[in-house]
Amino acid sequence: MTTQTTNDGQLAASFRDPSGFLFSSGGVLYRQVNRAYEQEYTRLMESGLYEKLVKAGLLIPHVEVEQTPAESETSFKIIQPERVPFISYPYEWSFGQLKSAALTTLSIQKRALKLGMSLKDASAYNIQFVRGKATLIDTLSFEVYKEGEPWVAYRQFCQHFLAPLALMALKDVRLSQLLRVYIDGVPLDLASELLPSKTRFNFGLLTHIHLHAGAQKKYSGSVNEGVKSRSASMSKQAMTGLIKSLETTIQKMDWTPRGTEWGNYYDITNYSDAAFEHKKQLVGEWTKRLQPALAWDLGANNGVFSRVVSSVGSYVVSFDIDPAAVEQNYRQVKNDKAENLLPLLLDLTNPTPAIGWANRERDSFGARGPADMVLALAVIHHLAISNNVPLPQLAEFFAETGKWLVIEFVPKPDSQVQKLLVSRKDIFPNYSRDGFESAFKAKFTIHETVEIHESERVLYLMESH
Amino acid sequence: MHFTPLPYLDPGSGSILIQIAIAALLALAVAIRASWSTIKKWFGIKSVKDEDDDDADDK
C-alpha cells in the first residue's frame, strides 16, 4: 500500500493526538506510545480493559515490540497493532456500517467507564472493519476517568456519528457524503437545519442535535465561567445516562431502502440462470488459480461475485455506487459473520479523493491499491457509455488498479446497453468486442476469453504488463 | 475537584454545558421512575427487573 507518510516514516494522518503516533518501518506499521501517555497506557493494559475489549472484538489487538522509536526522546513504548486489511472511511460506509461503528464506540465507552477510563476522542476514523466487525484501531484513545468530568468527546461523537446517521435515516441516505466535505463530522447547526421538524419530538435528536446546536451557537466565542474553571461537573451515573441515551437514540434509527432497488438486482438484468452460473463458475476457477490476497470487486451490487472470491480465502473489498446495494451486502456480511468481505460505497466515475490536512490525512481510492485482482463485471458499459470514458482510458485505469483483471464485456446489442442508448445519440463507434480488445491489449495480456452461456457477453482474464 | 490535564480536542463550551443539562434531565427521569416503583411497591405491584447487563455480548 502507498499510505502517505512524512519523511521520518510517520503516517500523515497521525498527528493530532500528542499521546503517540503511527509510523512505518520496513513495511511494518508501529505505534509509538509517548511518555506523556504512560499513565493512561499502563492503566489500559493493567485494569483489564484492554483484554476485555480485545476479547469482545471491540479493540484492535497489539503486541509490545523492541523496535527503535521514530522519536526516541518522547517514546515510552512501541507497539505493533494487528494490520487492518483495508482502511475505509465513514463516507464510504452504508447506513448500517456507520451505525455499527457508532454503537461500537458507545459500547467501548460504557466498558471503559466501568474500569475507570473514558474515551478522549470519538472519531469515526478511529473505527475500521476488522474480521467484519466495527473495531477501534486507536489504542491511545483512552484517558483515566475522573468522577465529575463531562465527556470531552461528546461533541465529536454527535458530529461524526449521530448527525450523519439521523440525516441518512430521516432525510436522505446520500447525505452521508457530507462527511467527505466536513472531516470533523457534520456541523450540528447544519444537521439541525436539514433534519425534518418532526425530529424535535424525538428526545434524543431534540437534545443531542437541536438543543446541542443551539448551545454551541449560544456559547461560541464567549467564555463561560463554569467551563473555564472546569467546575461544570457531572456524576458518573449522569455520564452513563448520557451514553445510554445516545445508544438508545441510535439503536432506534433505521434505514431500509424502498422500491425496486432493494433485493432484486439480478432479477432486472437479462441473465438466464445458466449465464449467471457460468459466470460464477469462471470467477471461482480463476480466483482459485490466482489465489489473490486482496481483491476489489468494482460494481459489486450486493456482493454475489465478491462472495465467490472471498470463499476461496481472498480478502474482498466489494464496492458499489448504490447505498441500497452496499447496505444489503453489509447486512449479509453481519448475518454470515463473514470475516474477509468489506462492502463499501464508491462512485467509480468520481472515486474517493484524498482529503484532510495537506490532502494527506485520508487516502484516495487509488492510493489504497493496487489490488492483486480486480473484478469488473457488468460495469464497463456504465463507464464507457453512460460516462463517455474512452476505452483506452478505461484500460489505463484498470491497469493502475490491479495486477489481474476479470472483466466482462457487454456488447451493444445487449438490452442493458440499449437501455443506456435509448434517449441519446450513439457516439461510440469503437464500442465493440474488437475495439475493446485492442484498447485493453495496450495495457494487458489477455489470458482467457470466454463467451458466457446463453448470452452475448464475454468474460476476460487479463494480466497488466 | 481534581481534573485531568486539558483535553487535546476542544470539547466546546456549548457541548459541555448541554451534556450536563441533558444528563441532569435523564437523572431526574430515572429518579422519578425509581420513586414510581416505590409507590407501586406500596400498593403491592411487582416492578419489572432492570436489564442492565452490558457484558452480555462479551460471550
Side-chain angles (χ1 to χ4, degrees):
Chain A
M1 290 215 202
T2 51
T3 302
Q4 301 213 34
T5 55
T6 56
N7 289 338
D8 56 1
Q10 190 167 335
L11 256 64
S14 187
F15 63 85
R16 284 181 205 279
D17 187 353
S19 307
F21 56 86
L22 283 166
F23 67 99
S24 145
S25 177
V28 183
L29 194 66
Y30 299 101
R31 194 182 283 278
Q32 172 168 325
V33 184
N34 287 340
R35 277 198 205 119
Y37 194 70
E38 179 177 345
Q39 192 201 348
E40 288 85 354
Y41 178 78
T42 309
R43 181 73 171 263
L44 170 72
M45 301 309 291
E46 289 176 2
S47 62
L49 180 60
Y50 168 81
E51 201 191 332
K52 199 174 175 189
L53 293 176
V54 166
K55 201 176 148 207
L58 293 166
L59 176 66
I60 195 93
H62 71 257
V63 285
E64 294 178 2
V65 289
E66 295 295 327
Q67 165 71 23
T68 319
E71 272 179 30
S72 52
E73 65 279 12
T74 53
S75 176
F76 165 61
K77 258 194 179 111
I78 303 297
I79 61 174
Q80 186 186 338
E82 182 187 307
R83 188 113 197 189
V84 178
F86 188 85
I87 297 289
S88 61
Y89 303 121
Y91 37 85
E92 297 173 322
W93 298 342
S94 71
F95 175 83
Q97 286 172 302
L98 186 61
K99 183 172 169 177
S100 296
L103 294 174
T104 287
T105 306
L106 294 174
S107 183
I108 291 170
Q109 174 67 353
K110 286 202 295 188
R111 287 157 208 250
L113 281 172
K114 280 184 185 167
L115 292 168
M117 296 201 88
S118 175
L119 283 173
K120 65 182 160 74
D121 43 37
S123 164
Y125 297 93
N126 282 348
I127 302 287
Q128 290 297 328
F129 289 87
V130 181
R131 287 181 283 277
K133 273 190 82 176
T135 307
L136 177 69
I137 58 157
D138 184 5
T139 315
L140 314 186
S141 277
F142 299 89
E143 63 181 4
V144 176
Y145 172 69
K146 292 263 167 66
E147 177 90 26
E149 286 205 336
W151 190 25
V152 289
Y154 174 67
R155 178 188 61 83
Q156 197 178 38
F157 182 86
C158 293
Q159 291 180 183
H160 281 232
F161 295 108
L162 186 63
L165 282 171
L167 288 168
M168 288 166 88
L170 299 158
K171 186 75 183 172
D172 193 307
V173 76
R174 291 169 294 185
L175 287 168
S176 66
Q177 294 310 297
L178 283 174
L179 291 169
R180 197 157 129 169
V181 182
Y182 298 103
I183 197 162
D184 198 23
V186 181
L188 297 182
D189 61 325
L190 178 60
S192 173
E193 209 168 294
L194 290 173
L195 281 171
S197 45
K198 67 172 185 200
T199 55
R200 289 181 179 272
F201 297 99
N202 171 316
F203 179 81
L205 297 178
L206 169 71
T207 51
H208 301 302
I209 291 186
H210 296 295
L211 297 179
H212 190 173
Q216 282 182 336
K217 196 177 166 198
K218 189 172 173 195
Y219 296 103
S220 78
S222 71
V223 181
N224 182 281
E225 284 310 315
V227 174
K228 196 183 166 199
S229 65
R230 313 196 76 209
S231 62
S233 75
M234 59 195 272
S235 67
K236 189 171 176 179
Q237 199 185 0
M239 163 93 91
T240 310
L242 184 83
I243 305 302
K244 281 194 175 166
S245 160
L246 288 167
E247 197 173 41
T248 314
T249 309
I250 287 171
Q251 270 163 349
K252 277 186 193 156
M253 277 193 284
D254 197 18
W255 177 72
T256 299
R258 281 161 297 182
T260 54
E261 284 174 326
W262 192 240
N264 58 351
Y265 292 98
Y266 293 104
D267 297 344
I268 54 169
T269 65
N270 56 353
Y271 277 117
S272 67
D273 287 350
F276 200 70
E277 285 309 316
H278 189 206
K279 211 162 107 172
K280 268 176 143 175
Q281 177 211 325
L282 290 168
V283 169
E285 274 172 22
W286 294 347
T287 311
K288 263 181 216 147
R289 196 196 302 172
L290 299 170
Q291 297 287 332
L294 175 69
W296 288 1
D297 186 357
L298 306 178
N301 278 338
N302 54 12
V304 170
F305 292 95
S306 300
R307 282 179 176 80
V308 173
V309 177
S310 70
S311 68
V312 176
S314 309
Y315 189 87
V316 187
V317 190
S318 190
F319 296 98
D320 201 83
I321 190 175
D322 180 358
V326 183
E327 180 68 25
Q328 191 186 26
N329 199 346
Y330 178 63
R331 286 186 191 189
Q332 201 176 333
V333 164
K334 271 195 6 183
N335 209 32
D336 300 346
K337 295 191 166 53
E339 296 192 349
N340 55 348
L341 205 160
L342 175 65
L344 290 179
L345 192 70
L346 178 79
D347 177 358
L348 264 182
T349 66
N350 179 23
T352 309
I355 65 164
W357 171 245
N359 294 114
R360 295 175 67 180
E361 272 189 82
R362 313 292 168 215
D363 285 335
S364 69
F365 163 73
R368 284 172 281 167
D372 302 313
M373 185 171 97
V374 169
L375 251 65
L377 305 175
V379 77
I380 188 111
H381 51 305
H382 291 293
L383 302 173
I385 293 177
S386 308
N387 200 45
N388 292 28
V389 184
L391 290 168
Q393 282 196 38
L394 280 172
E396 199 180 333
F397 169 79
F398 284 115
E400 284 168 5
T401 309
K403 180 173 165 50
W404 290 92
L405 174 66
V406 176
I407 189 163
E408 179 179 15
F409 182 71
V410 186
K412 238 179 231 177
D414 191 287
S415 66
Q416 293 297 315
V417 180
Q418 283 306 308
K419 230 188 252 174
L420 301 177
L421 288 168
V422 75
S423 54
R424 61 179 299 188
K425 199 174 157 193
D426 182 356
I427 50 160
F428 309 99
N430 296 329
Y431 190 84
S432 64
R433 196 171 148 176
D434 284 346
F436 170 79
E437 285 180 10
S438 80
F440 275 71
K441 270 179 186 161
K443 294 282 173 189
F444 289 90
T445 306
I446 300 179
H447 288 280
E448 302 273 0
T449 306
V450 184
E451 289 173 6
I452 298 170
H453 296 163
E454 296 182 13
S455 137
E456 290 177 81
R457 299 179 173 201
V458 188
L459 199 66
Y460 295 89
L461 175 65
M462 307 182 181
E463 183 184 7
S464 68
H465 52 235
Chain B
M1 189 166 297
H2 300 285
F3 282 112
T4 46
L6 283 166
Y8 84 99
L9 284 181
D10 182 3
S13 299
S15 299
I16 288 186
L17 295 169
I18 192 76
Q19 68 172 293
I20 290 170
I22 296 167
L25 211 64
L26 290 166
L28 188 73
V30 171
I32 292 170
R33 218 183 300 158
S35 54
W36 182 241
S37 70
T38 316
I39 295 164
K40 282 202 289 188
K41 247 184 240 161
W42 286 340
F43 291 96
I45 304 166
K46 248 189 182 175
S47 66
V48 186
K49 199 184 164 247
D50 252 5
E51 281 178 44
D52 194 24
D53 188 11
D54 305 329
D55 297 335
D57 45 343
D58 270 5
K59 288 160 202 166

